[in-house]
Amino acid sequence: MDEKYFPEKIEEKWQREWEQTGAFQVERDDARPKFYCLEMLPYPSGYLHMGHVRNYSIGDALSWYKRLRGFNVLHPIGWDSFGQPAEQAAIKRGVMPMEWTEENIAHMRGQLKRIGVSYDWRREIAAHRPDYYKWDQWFFLKLYERGLAYKRASAVNWCPKEQTVLSNEQSSGGVCWRCGTQVEKKDLEQWFIRITEYAEQLLDDMAEIEAGWPERVLTMQRNWINRSVGAYIDFPVKDSDAKVRVFTTRIDTIYGATAVIVAAEHPLLSELPEGSSLKADVDRFVARLRAERASRAAIVAGGEEEEKEGVNTGLFVTNPFSGEQLPVWVANYVLMDYGAGAVMSVPAHDERDFEFAQKYSLPIRRVIERVSHEQEQIAHDERELDQSVAMPHAFTDYGILVNSGEWGGKLSADAIREMAEYAQREGFGGGAVTYRLRDWGISRQKFWGAPIPVIYCEDCGVVPVPEKDLPVVLPERAEFTGAGESPLAGVAEFVNTTCPKCAKPARRETDTMDTFVDSSWYFYRYCDPHNDRAAFDTEVVKYWTPVDQYIGGIDHAVMHLLYTRFWTKFMRDIGLVEFDEPVKNLMTQGMVTNLIEGTDEWRRMSKSLGNGVDPDDMIEAYGADAVRLFVLFAAPPENELRWQETGIEGAVRFLRRVYTFIWRWRDSLRDAPRGVPSSEGFSAAARALRHETHRAIVRVTEGFERMSFNTNVAALMELSNALGEFQVAPDGATPAERFAVREALESLVLMLTPFTPHVAEELWEGLGHEGGIIAGLKNGSVRWPQAEESLARRDELEIPVQINGKLRGRIRATRDTAEDELRIAALSDERVRAWTEGRDIVKVIVVPQRLVNIVVR
Ligand SMILES: [Zn+2]
Ligand SMILES: [Zn+2]
């Protein structure tokens, strides 16, 4: 230990030590409880940003805490290294994606090591390496075997000029990001994973994680899945054998249907007679709709934001309940993705239908009336309603059926059940549950992803690659122009192969997988990262999983976290794990913001806004420990963190104060008694310090259990202040006082470890513990400080004593010390007596719990 705090030197020393001793390497150990702490794995863009630093500082603090509590802590990291930016770099600068990615990883790994995050680096994985994506492909085959991976035509954004597929971002504003051509929708055969098969479980199993996940995330997932209970009804098409299947949650309103509306992609539209003027109208409308949709970044299900538009197809269907003929329209607010791509339009009782009916003058017929208390009494009473009164807007509540034939007079709730049963009996419908959740499209017409392991043979059709031939390895080089087909399709050695079944020439699938596949199961691989016979050993995974704490951004609330929950359920179904949910506790950390220069506006740090802060610069200036301490102190982890460099300066000052104090005391602490001296030996100052120490232990321990890091740092600063006020000099301290100081310092250092591990190691060694904290954890000499409840609770006050209004001393008392006792204590205090000796005491004023003022003459 040097006399002064030099972060750079200390951090280098301990990072080297950790590396050389394999400090954070863990193996399965059935004798100890395990803790799996996981941070969302980063995309290797090239540089860490402060959002990363925050995420990893949170995870690292928790990992250290659990280690000190005796847990066997798995804390790994890896790279979500497939994806678009690597391909963009290839297009722009001609550097191959593999090279670009590996360089970025190397750089970011160095940054992570300089922050000193306690990862088990032997477990590092990267999605773009064949030893990893081999198992993506293996999972795909398992999904395919079970009918959970399938292929169908689906629309993509298409630049007709460059003949290339564009992502939503690349087609924002409806034009190609590169050449400005109007983007079109084009149908391509694509691979999907049947996640909808698990919709019900994805909803129901939320009960298992409710206690550990933010309600906000669960709500977002619930809305995304969006289960609705209702009925389907088949409307026969006039002069045809075709039927239009409609899904509705409000079958009770079916007598109010004045049209059936289908989506632009609905197969019924092919029934329109070729060459008719109506067909021309419909075709024109559909074409325009598809062009417009291509221009939207993402199609909002239900088309909520669109101006409602439609065109009459000239076809008619029959309402199977009323026998009435209804016109069929096609409109933009009905999507093929929801229900069956067709709805019955009930303008009187649905806002969107109402708006549409008003615009196109469709009849509005009211069939539900508000239920008053008396009306509830007269169910089954056939009621009629005056339809001539115009409705100002749709009436969407439940109520009582009117103008509904034999169903009139029933309450909505009864009618919904009974009408669905009736439809089922009559063979034209029945009860149904539907979800907004769609199957997961995993096909990407891109190079930099895991190749989908499928071969196309003219004779045998779709042939999955046999397991023994995995991985299907990406070629090292390809030509990246950004135009035309996927670069993979241009690599003949890749595309041309032989059929595994008949050995004739065949072609490989050139679509690659969505990168969300890679991140759906990566944390299982960390448990057994070098296994080349299986994705992982199930026994090893059984020990480490489920993940005890997962930490990441709220932007992953839906896609990633839903896919990973699905993947685990699928893994359970093929016997790889025994539980339903992969993550017990989830924390979504808030964003890091910074002032936009010249304004008073705080915005998320970003390069493009020019308000980013480079973690490397901060570490160089203040040290990794101070940066981490500030990041955890400045705000609760879920909240926005406002970046303030003065805050880091404060963190450095705090660490320097603790460092200097230990430097001053370390010699005199060497021979401090190890056991607790008899209590009579403790001076008032020592007793007060012990109280502060044990109080801090209680607060910090509780804080860690709640991941309340900022209040923990505050408690540690208070303990350091208490040490600062400890007036005894090291060489004049009694054994009991030295005991109290060592107790305070050792507790402080251990509790600082999760925040500032490097300097904590150095200080621990400075306090006479050879090899630092990690060595102590390994030989069992280090454990989280234990609070003595009685010491922590003791509620001692420090009461100032004034003489003629000037502060001359302090006495110790509790909240219940009586006025008389305070007076006696004040008058007998040594320092006070020095001031009062030889003078007349005129008056003693006592304010209990606050103050003693002595007036002398
Ligand atoms: Zn283009
Ligand atoms: Zn074949």
Side-chain angles (χ1 to χ4, degrees), residues 12 15 19 99 132 176 198 262 291 324 352 366 420 617 627 664 687 701 711 743 762 854:
E12 252 182 48
Q15 283 168 14
E19 181 111 30
E99 200 183 318
Y132 184 82
C176 171
Y198 286 74
V262 299
E324 188 182 4
R352 296 183 310 165
R366 184 162 189 168
D617 294 346
V627 172
R664 268 206 313 131
R687 278 205 311 277
T701 307
T711 60
E743 181 184 55
E762 183 74 4
I854 304 168

Side-chain angles (χ1 to χ4, degrees), residues 313-457:
T313 66
L315 296 170
F316 283 90
V317 291
T318 309
N319 181 337
F321 272 89
S322 64
E324 188 182 4
Q325 300 284 300
L326 303 177
V328 178
W329 285 63
V330 53
N332 61 350
Y333 72 99
V334 176
L335 297 179
M336 205 56 216
D337 278 351
Y338 182 75
V343 301
M344 60 183 201
S345 174
V346 185
H349 304 293
D350 179 282
E351 287 295 352
R352 296 183 310 165
D353 294 342
F354 185 84
E355 207 183 300
F356 189 75
Q358 293 239 305
K359 181 165 174 179
Y360 294 101
S361 304
L362 291 168
I364 298 173
R365 189 190 308 141
R366 184 162 189 168
V367 293
I368 304 287
E369 201 189 336
R370 188 177 298 285
V371 184
S372 67
H373 185 64
E374 307 87 76
Q375 281 165 335
E376 251 180 279
Q377 316 290 321
I378 48 165
H380 290 281
D381 184 10
E382 173 62 15
R383 299 172 58 85
E384 292 297 329
L385 196 73
D386 182 4
Q387 295 287 347
S388 63
V389 184
M391 296 172 76
H393 51 76
F395 173 73
T396 57
D397 290 351
Y398 291 122
I400 192 162
L401 275 65
V402 294
N403 300 317
S404 295
E406 60 185 289
W407 306 91
K410 281 192 183 293
L411 296 171
S412 289
D414 297 332
I416 284 172
R417 192 183 61 249
E418 291 170 23
M419 291 171 93
E421 284 165 7
Y422 174 78
Q424 175 117 42
R425 272 199 307 281
E426 298 294 312
F428 60 79
V433 173
T434 189
Y435 299 92
R436 202 183 84 184
L437 180 69
R438 307 271 50 96
D439 278 341
W440 174 12
I442 58 156
S443 277
R444 298 290 179 271
Q445 293 71 40
K446 299 293 175 197
F447 176 85
W448 198 230
I452 293 174
V454 161
I455 290 167
Y456 299 105
C457 168

Side-chain angles (χ1 to χ4, degrees), residues 643-654:
W643 188 259
Q644 274 158 317
E645 220 162 309
T646 51
I648 311 185
E649 288 160 9
V652 175
R653 277 197 302 276
F654 165 65

Side-chain angles (χ1 to χ4, degrees), residues 821-832:
E821 284 178 62
L822 286 173
R823 180 182 296 116
I824 294 162
L827 292 171
S828 52
D829 183 84
E830 257 177 71
R831 274 168 299 179
V832 174

